[in-house]
Amino acid sequence: MIEAVVFDFDGTLVDFVDSDIKSLKHLHSFAEANVSFDEFLETAVDEIMEFHRLVDQRLIDPLLMHRFRLEKTFKRHGMKWDDSALKIYKAELLRTCVPFDGVVDVLVQLRERFKLGLITNAYDGEEQRKRIAFSGLHIYFDEILISGDIGVYKPDPKVFHTLLSRINVAPENAIYIGDSIKYDVAGANSAGMKSVLFSKSSKTLSSEAHFHAHGVEGLETLARELCELA
């Protein structure tokens, strides 16, 4: 019997990629760049991937993510760097953190029948809490866990077990919804939970996931079915 529904945040409830691109474009417009935004964006993507690789190898402090990425991007294009660029980007990242249309209705419906949890793999707990609060979604969750706060990241089952212990629900009585096969589906499965693979627009499928939700419409259907079963 399902007692709790647990969500991923970025890519599942809010569109981080869209928010990031808008924030980078906003920064680019302030920076008097001699490079096109497309080139600027391509470099920024390369640098964030390099940063994650360094974090995985424990060669860099995860909290340096934005500074590392933006400063390296600026310098690769001969742009003058100072900390004001970091402030501009982070402020816009907050402003553009909005839920997918229809997500609030899904959470309201589920909250009537189930405990709700949120697990996000963000490095910087303070910053991520601000983003979650700015999205307005924090009020719907019984428990929010940010991996950077405990130093353990999805797909490690310890992350899932930590949240479930806080809301006093056994893994077999919980379902997890996320957009990553590697981090969300595999992690939830290893923790003994039911897993749902969410895809914003494409109909991504995985034999590892117990269920699939294509777009917010898929979440609405899943929520309705779960409530009916409850």
Side-chain angles (χ1 to χ4, degrees):
M1 178 181 175
I2 299 298
E3 298 175 11
V5 182
V6 185
F7 286 86
D8 170 49
F9 185 64
D10 288 306
T12 303
L13 299 178
V14 302
D15 192 338
F16 177 80
V17 172
D18 181 69
S19 178
D20 180 47
I21 291 173
K22 287 178 178 176
S23 301
L24 290 170
K25 192 167 188 176
H26 183 69
L27 175 59
H28 178 266
S29 69
F30 273 87
E32 299 181 359
N34 293 319
V35 60
S36 71
F37 175 66
D38 287 343
E39 292 177 271
F40 183 82
L41 176 61
E42 183 178 359
T43 302
V45 171
D46 289 344
E47 293 298 346
I48 197 67
M49 297 305 293
E50 172 65 9
F51 183 82
H52 289 315
R53 185 186 67 81
L54 293 173
V55 170
D56 287 343
Q57 296 179 1
R58 300 186 178 183
L59 296 175
I60 196 168
D61 182 351
L63 297 182
L64 295 176
M65 181 175 71
H66 295 317
R67 179 180 295 277
F68 173 95
R69 175 207 201 182
L70 296 176
E71 187 172 0
K72 295 266 284 184
T73 298
F74 270 52
K75 290 183 175 179
R76 277 180 60 179
H77 292 295
M79 299 162 62
K80 183 181 178 181
W81 168 262
D82 64 62
D83 284 354
S84 64
L86 187 61
K87 293 178 181 177
I88 290 169
Y89 171 81
K90 292 175 76 172
E92 192 69 4
L93 199 64
L94 275 180
R95 192 188 70 80
T96 56
C97 186
V98 296
F100 291 125
D101 290 341
V103 156
V104 169
D105 292 337
V106 170
L107 296 178
V108 168
Q109 182 179 11
L110 288 172
R111 187 170 171 78
E112 293 179 357
R113 300 293 185 90
F114 307 100
K115 294 180 180 179
L116 296 187
L118 182 69
I119 298 176
T120 169
N121 248 10
Y123 300 133
D124 189 331
E126 180 180 359
E127 177 183 84
Q128 191 72 338
R129 276 188 291 276
K130 289 179 180 178
R131 292 185 63 242
I132 295 168
F134 202 93
S135 75
L137 298 182
H138 61 294
I139 63 174
Y140 300 105
F141 293 99
D142 298 287
E143 185 67 37
I144 295 173
L145 189 152
I146 300 171
S147 289
D149 286 342
I150 63 172
V152 183
Y153 297 84
K154 297 180 292 184
D156 192 320
K158 292 179 183 177
V159 179
F160 301 89
H161 290 158
T162 298
L163 181 132
L164 291 175
S165 68
R166 291 178 182 178
I167 61 176
N168 195 30
V169 174
E172 61 269 22
N173 294 330
I175 190 167
Y176 188 83
I177 304 171
D179 67 311
S180 169
I181 297 172
K182 177 180 178 181
Y183 296 105
D184 297 318
V185 172
N189 290 348
S190 68
M193 304 170 70
K194 293 289 189 298
S195 60
V196 180
L197 178 62
F198 172 80
S199 51
K200 180 183 72 170
S201 53
S202 64
K203 293 189 176 182
T204 305
L205 299 174
S206 170
S207 59
E208 297 181 47
H210 294 95
F211 307 100
H212 293 82
H214 302 305
V216 176
E217 296 82 1
L219 289 180
E220 292 169 344
T221 299
L222 178 66
R224 184 169 58 252
E225 291 174 349
L226 287 173
C227 289
E228 288 173 356
L229 289 173

